[in-house]
Amino acid sequence: MWDSESESVAGRDYDNGVLSSTKHGLQTDRFELRGKSWFVATDVPSDFLVQIADVSFHLHKYPLLSRSGKMNRIIYDSRETDLSKVSMDGIPGGPEAFELAAKFCYGIAVDLTATNISGLRCAAEYLEMTEDLEEGNLIFKTEAFLSYVVLSSWRDSILVLKSCEKLSPWAENLQIVRRCSESIAWKACANPKGIRWQYTGKPMKVSSPGWNESKDSNSSPSRSPVPPDWWYEDVSILRIDHFVRVITAIKVKGMRYELVGAAITHYATKSLPGLIKEGGSDEGSTASIGAVSGHWKGGLHMIVAGNRDDPSSATQIRDQRMIIESLISIIPPQKDSVSCSFLLRLLRMANMLKVAPALVTELEKRVGMQFEQACLADLLIPSYNKIETMYDVDLVQRLLEHFLIQEQMETESPGRSHSMSEKHTYERSGNSNAKMRVARLVDSYLTEVSRDKNLSLTKFQVLAEALPESARSCDDGLYRAIDSYLKAHPTLSEHERKRLCRVMDCQKLSMDACMHAAQNERLPLRVVVQVLFSEQVKISNAIASTSVQETGDLHYQPLVQNRKTLLEGTPQSFQEGWATAKKDINTLKFELETVKTKYLELQHDMESLQRQFDKVTKPKQQSAWSSGWKKLSKMTKTSTMENNEVGGQSNAPQARKTQRRWRNSIS
């Protein structure tokens, strides 16, 4: 029903697309153009001049009065008795639409097409060519053509909606935009099986999501299947406000969000030249902001950096800002409706063009929802509004915070229908994998931005510590970022270097990273010792595990259970300097043994000094006791002798017994 067989409406079953009316006394069949003036081909001289912009129409009053209510008011309500000239610069459609309306008043046949119908309909409304003046007037006929011909055709609906761009607000008030948008939405959401490929655009080469989850088995093998993105190219020629109206109507009719997101992406790539990267990826480019911007197609960057006082540049910036704001507002809320790369490129341009802060925040939240899908090249967003750093590190910090908040929300409520076991499985598989990908991405970003000499240690540390420890199974990427930062900031103090290295876990470094760290003069000595110690513990665990396994003890578990995982996940990146690293390790081990030997010697000397001190102080303590014991022994002997004299020999055993009891009591 809505297949367009030709480029115009000629040949349709609607009076062959021709409007005509009865002639009112003037025999003519054409208008003649002389320069910028139109004349009626008749012998009767014109008595009325209509001026529209720089185009003049030499006409007659009677044909116009019989069809146009506005002409009646202008002529009869004028203070001039014989009005012969009128200016109509405000007529919608301009001179072209008025020419067709004037021909209709003279009864000349007018060919209606999709390109002139909207202007002619608005001009008829402006001229008040209603049924009150004559039956079958221009408003009635143009409205019928719109309803029965244009809205039944896909191509004509697109062309009419495109022609309405110069007819605001008349086309809006007459509901032409609304009706065309709904017609386009209805046809885009219909099953495309019967489409005969009669539309303005060309099929896209990029694949898009399927129309249905299941394929139609009844499709004809002789005809190639219609791709679900057949309508992208056509709607991409529309102005942004009309495109928004079409997409809104399409979403209301229930089209899948993947297709809506793909249509928005396609429209953005065509209307925003600076959105598409030129050549390849700009990953690794850190020369300057200008160098990064040079990797992007289009002249938008030159406009922003150029003369802002240029009216054309200011207009283009304003138009592109409006496009970005409109696209942000119509992106479907589902997570994977558009790619994360597209969102980040849109965010880059939004920051560059100073889009409304509320929309930028909304876009940042959308990026955080699928932050694990981002790539390094899209994260290297220059700091357009700041001068401290080359890249907008604060923006990446906010994106990471939005990601962590989203992950926390999904962990707490992954779905009402999930059981507890399914919830734990979801947490282990989904969240941990996403966090690991984000951790690798953040480490790569830190390595890239660490070369900026204006990047503060606090910003580096905050971004590195934003992720939980469980997100990194290996800290090689973080070590590489720390080493790059130390290389770009050689003036850091010892305290600052220790503070920087605290973000890294030495036990999570691979063998290659440990070899590199052992000979890295930029690292603090304490960190090097920690690296060597952790590696020695790992080697000891590995040796002990091997020996125990050979003896058949299956219950032994090494201290570092994920050693194999760490080695498998570590890139082979630190391969240089093996001989030097081994030599340095042996030297450090020898120094550690020397320090240990000296410590033992000092401990032995300390014990010797302690014994000598005890010998010196011991006689002084025994002299007082010895004198006391001597006095006590003299008293004992004196008492014994006296008892012997008094008691005689019969009491000798008793004296000895008493003496023994006294001795025992003293002891």
Side-chain angles (χ1 to χ4, degrees), residues 15-72:
D15 294 336
N16 293 326
V18 177
L19 289 185
S20 59
S21 62
T22 58
K23 300 179 182 180
H24 297 275
L26 292 177
Q27 299 295 328
T28 181
D29 58 355
R30 69 184 186 279
F31 278 18
E32 295 179 354
L33 180 62
R34 303 171 188 173
K36 291 187 177 181
S37 299
W38 285 95
F39 294 88
V40 182
T42 181
D43 296 335
V44 180
S46 62
D47 56 355
F48 192 69
L49 176 63
V50 179
Q51 187 73 32
I52 302 176
D54 57 345
V55 181
S56 302
F57 292 88
H58 299 270
L59 307 174
H60 303 83
K61 290 182 180 179
Y62 178 70
L64 300 178
L65 293 174
S66 63
R67 294 282 187 171
S68 173
K70 188 175 184 65
M71 287 295 184
N72 277 276

Side-chain angles (χ1 to χ4, degrees), residues 17 79 124 152 158 175 188 238 240 246 403 410 455 473 547 558 649:
R79 296 180 180 179
S152 62
I158 292 287
Q175 304 296 321
L238 300 175
I240 182 60
V246 171
F403 167 76
E410 292 181 357
L455 180 64
S473 61
S547 61
Q649 295 180 355

Side-chain angles (χ1 to χ4, degrees), residues 291-453:
V292 175
S293 301
H295 284 269
W296 295 77
K297 188 183 297 183
L300 184 58
H301 293 273
M302 292 186 291
I303 293 173
V304 174
N307 185 11
R308 292 180 178 271
D309 295 333
D310 187 4
S312 60
S313 300
T315 302
Q316 187 174 358
I317 292 174
R318 184 174 61 255
D319 293 342
Q320 296 206 348
R321 184 188 300 119
M322 182 179 63
I323 291 175
I324 293 175
E325 292 176 349
S326 301
L327 293 179
I328 294 174
S329 63
I330 62 174
I331 294 177
Q334 287 79 3
K335 181 177 179 179
D336 295 324
S337 58
V338 293
S339 65
C340 185
S341 178
F342 169 74
L343 292 174
L344 283 170
R345 284 179 280 159
L346 202 63
L347 182 59
R348 174 194 292 254
M349 294 194 67
N351 288 332
M352 182 172 56
L353 296 173
K354 298 181 180 180
V355 171
L359 292 175
V360 173
T361 302
E362 181 65 25
L363 190 57
E364 291 176 359
K365 292 180 181 179
R366 292 299 308 272
V367 175
M369 291 173 59
Q370 47 199 102
F371 193 53
E372 70 276 8
Q373 303 172 6
C375 61
L376 177 60
D378 293 325
L379 280 183
L380 296 176
I381 300 177
S383 182
Y384 295 106
N385 302 328
K386 304 175 184 178
I387 59 174
E388 301 92 31
T389 57
M390 180 184 300
Y391 297 104
D392 198 344
V393 182
D394 295 333
L395 172 61
V396 177
Q397 176 70 28
R398 293 195 299 271
L399 297 178
L400 186 57
E401 292 175 357
H402 290 310
F403 167 76
L404 294 175
I405 293 174
Q406 184 67 27
E407 287 293 314
Q408 183 65 26
M409 294 173 58
E410 292 181 357
T411 302
E412 294 176 356
S413 58
R416 295 183 178 179
S417 60
H418 291 148
S419 62
M420 292 301 296
S421 60
E422 291 176 345
K423 180 178 179 180
H424 294 324
T425 304
Y426 173 84
E427 293 176 1
R428 288 195 300 268
S429 61
N431 288 6
S432 56
N433 292 337
K435 288 181 180 178
M436 291 177 65
R437 289 194 295 270
V438 171
R440 290 194 294 267
L441 178 64
V442 170
D443 293 345
S444 301
Y445 180 79
L446 286 173
T447 304
E448 196 71 23
V449 301
S450 62
R451 305 171 190 175
D452 184 7
K453 295 182 179 180

Side-chain angles (χ1 to χ4, degrees), residues 345-609:
R345 284 179 280 159
L346 202 63
L347 182 59
R348 174 194 292 254
M349 294 194 67
N351 288 332
M352 182 172 56
L353 296 173
K354 298 181 180 180
V355 171
L359 292 175
V360 173
T361 302
E362 181 65 25
L363 190 57
E364 291 176 359
K365 292 180 181 179
R366 292 299 308 272
V367 175
M369 291 173 59
Q370 47 199 102
F371 193 53
E372 70 276 8
Q373 303 172 6
C375 61
L376 177 60
D378 293 325
L379 280 183
L380 296 176
I381 300 177
S383 182
Y384 295 106
N385 302 328
K386 304 175 184 178
I387 59 174
E388 301 92 31
T389 57
M390 180 184 300
Y391 297 104
D392 198 344
V393 182
D394 295 333
L395 172 61
V396 177
Q397 176 70 28
R398 293 195 299 271
L399 297 178
L400 186 57
E401 292 175 357
H402 290 310
F403 167 76
L404 294 175
I405 293 174
Q406 184 67 27
E407 287 293 314
Q408 183 65 26
M409 294 173 58
E410 292 181 357
T411 302
E412 294 176 356
S413 58
R416 295 183 178 179
S417 60
H418 291 148
S419 62
M420 292 301 296
S421 60
E422 291 176 345
K423 180 178 179 180
H424 294 324
T425 304
Y426 173 84
E427 293 176 1
R428 288 195 300 268
S429 61
N431 288 6
S432 56
N433 292 337
K435 288 181 180 178
M436 291 177 65
R437 289 194 295 270
V438 171
R440 290 194 294 267
L441 178 64
V442 170
D443 293 345
S444 301
Y445 180 79
L446 286 173
T447 304
E448 196 71 23
V449 301
S450 62
R451 305 171 190 175
D452 184 7
K453 295 182 179 180
N454 295 326
L455 180 64
S456 65
L457 177 60
T458 302
K459 286 188 176 182
F460 184 95
Q461 185 177 4
V462 169
L463 185 58
E465 294 178 343
L467 285 168
E469 295 182 359
S470 59
R472 293 184 177 92
S473 61
C474 179
D475 277 7
D476 282 9
L478 195 56
Y479 167 70
R480 187 161 49 248
I482 292 173
D483 184 51
S484 178
Y485 189 87
L486 291 173
K487 186 184 300 183
H489 301 78
T491 60
L492 290 178
S493 63
E494 185 71 13
H495 173 71
E496 290 175 335
R497 289 191 295 160
K498 291 181 180 179
R499 174 186 165 191
L500 177 64
C501 293
R502 287 195 194 104
V503 304
M504 174 183 61
D505 187 359
C506 297
Q507 296 181 358
K508 290 185 178 181
L509 294 179
S510 66
M511 177 72 73
D512 295 337
C514 290
M515 295 298 104
H516 188 277
Q519 60 176 346
N520 194 344
E521 298 179 354
R522 292 181 289 271
L523 295 177
L525 182 59
R526 183 175 181 180
V527 176
V528 175
V529 174
Q530 290 177 353
V531 170
L532 293 175
F533 178 75
S534 62
E535 190 62 27
Q536 186 176 6
V537 171
K538 294 176 186 177
I539 295 174
S540 300
N541 290 336
I543 294 174
S545 176
T546 303
S547 61
V548 171
Q549 288 178 1
E550 290 177 355
T551 58
D553 189 358
L554 300 178
H555 298 284
Y556 175 80
Q557 292 184 356
L559 296 178
V560 184
Q561 300 180 3
N562 59 347
R563 173 65 180 163
K564 183 178 179 181
T565 305
L566 292 176
L567 293 178
E568 290 179 354
T570 302
Q572 300 294 328
S573 57
F574 301 95
Q575 297 296 334
E576 299 179 358
W578 271 91
T580 306
K582 290 181 179 179
K583 183 178 179 181
D584 292 341
I585 291 173
N586 294 330
T587 303
L588 290 173
K589 288 182 178 180
F590 177 75
E591 291 178 356
L592 290 174
E593 294 293 335
T594 303
V595 172
K596 185 177 180 180
T597 304
K598 290 182 179 180
Y599 173 75
L600 294 175
E601 293 177 356
L602 290 174
Q603 188 176 7
H604 180 71
D605 294 341
M606 182 65 184
E607 293 176 353
S608 299
L609 291 174

